[in-house]
Amino acid sequence: MDKLGHVLILGAGFGGRDAAAKLARLLPRDVHITLIDRNPYMLYTPMLTEVAGRSVSPQHIQAPTRSLPRRVHFVEAEIETADLQSKVVTLVDGSTVRADHILFALGSTTNFRDVPGAEQHSLTMKTLDDARRARTLAQRRVRQAALEKDAEMRRHLLTFTVAGGGYTGVETIAALNDLVRDTAAEVGISPHELQVGLVEPAKRLMAEMPEELASYAEHRLGVDGVQVQIGTGVEEVGPAFTTLNNGTRIPTGMLIWDTGIQPNPLLKSLDCPKGKKGGFEVDSAFQLQGYPGVWAIGDCAEIPKPDGSGSFYEPTAQNATRQGQHVAMNIARTIRGQNVQPFRYKQVGELALISRRRGVAYVFGLKVSGVPAWLLWRAIYLVKMPGLGQRLGILLDWLRLAFGRQYVPVSRRLPAASVTFSSRHRGAPGAVHKELVRVATR
Ligand SMILES: Cc1cc2nc3c(=O)[nH]c(=O)nc-3n(C[C@H](O)[C@H](O)[C@H](O)COP(=O)(O)OP(=O)(O)OC[C@H]3O[C@@H](n4cnc5c(N)ncnc54)[C@H](O)[C@@H]3O)c2cc1C
């Protein structure tokens, strides 16, 4: 590397992508900028549940890294570990990359909260594959139920549960509910046979939202046929059942786990200061104490608010993008020999979809619900989606939806024979579940 150095960004998600774009504008030409990610795109997570619910096609929520400034050198690779003292990053193929500044923006994974069986027997909603898998499996279960004569097996196939009533859990159950009801109508199953449930251990849904909006969301989900159980946690998950802490055993074969996040597992192998949740313990300028030139932002970091309140920034895309831009400024200032600045940002609000036609929004102190909130959600997230092509694609998907013509995934075009199961599985819910998962994840 030349004399001015090399800035290495790990993770091209919300934080890393914005940091790379801003660094490209701020840094002199002879500073190298490298961005590494396992995927050649940024996943636009706010619309992930729209993919699961068949409202938007998967390729429209991927912002390709090729649209970044040309001076950002992108490497598609899996990162294995890093030596923070020498600032050397090791990739899974054994190759290494050395830098003068390393920015960690590696995001998070699902937190299963040590609930027995949860990791083995539930689906998650974090990646594009997760959304596709949930959609495919849900539809196949409903279609399989249409062919099923055994009442117990039919009930099992038609029971869908989401654990966790934060905004992603709420959006997940809303999308899943619309999807399975549409599919049931397509194959002639009565909506009364469907059991769609959401369980949340806290006293209310979406702690981030004002209580009034959370109550509205709970009410609307109920009207749409979702059984919302507040103050109820999951105690154990098996291949074909979910046991709740009130003793109820739900014969669910499809459970989506949405009870929060934990920092990227790669952090476990790093011996450095970590916060209460296991994320990088950085200062309010994103610097890792004791490791000059090592920075961390987004879901993999615990970033204190500089107001002395002792609180930390929430792991949201809204925060991560601003942190990306701010850390770029701090790295540029450091390279120029100037002082770093603390990060100060107040979230503009929270939005959540609660069905294909309704939402809740708390923006600039205003509480909006129902169709206006749904429109607001659509407008804001469409504008924020990077890339004109992606935006047009999403708009077309929504227009198709408005005219009752949903985006049709490949699995839907498969012949019916591909979703039937041999009779040896009848009466053995666990085996059927495994088979369904096996088929759905192919
Ligand atoms: C379903 C869902 C809905 C959401 N909705 C909203 C919303 O409406 N509004 C909002 O503000 N937030 C929302 N969020 C939260 C938001 O997605 C995160 O807070 C945000 O993505 C964090 O940004 P980040 O840059 O820290 O990490 P990410 O955006 O997750 O980026 C991390 C990147 O690191 C890469 N990576 C990880 N490990 C490795 C490795 N070992 N090797 C190579 N690459 C690696 C990943 O591929 C990824 O590209 C939602 C999240 C989910 C799951």
Side-chain angles (χ1 to χ4, degrees), residues 174-192:
L176 188 66
N177 190 42
D178 285 335
L179 176 73
V180 295
R181 281 176 200 284
D182 281 356
T183 315
E186 281 164 25
V187 295
I189 288 181
S190 158
H192 302 295

Side-chain angles (χ1 to χ4, degrees), residues 177 214-226 354-355 358-359 370:
N177 190 42
S215 303
Y216 173 83
E218 187 184 337
H219 166 72
R220 276 311 317 178
L221 286 170
V223 171
D224 290 342
V226 177
I354 54 172
S355 78
R358 284 188 173 77

Side-chain angles (χ1 to χ4, degrees), residues 20-55:
K22 182 119 190 197
L23 279 167
R25 287 199 297 276
L26 293 178
L27 291 180
R29 280 268 146 205
D30 37 7
V31 178
H32 291 257
I33 306 166
T34 306
L35 175 63
I36 307 182
D37 199 294
R38 57 164 73 107
N39 297 317
Y41 58 82
M42 183 199 87
L43 177 64
Y44 195 62
T45 50
M47 289 189 188
L48 198 58
T49 56
E50 293 245 279
V51 169
R54 220 175 69 178
S55 300

Side-chain angles (χ1 to χ4, degrees), residues 54 137 145 292 347 372 382 439:
R54 220 175 69 178
L137 184 56
Q347 290 222 145
L382 188 66
V439 171

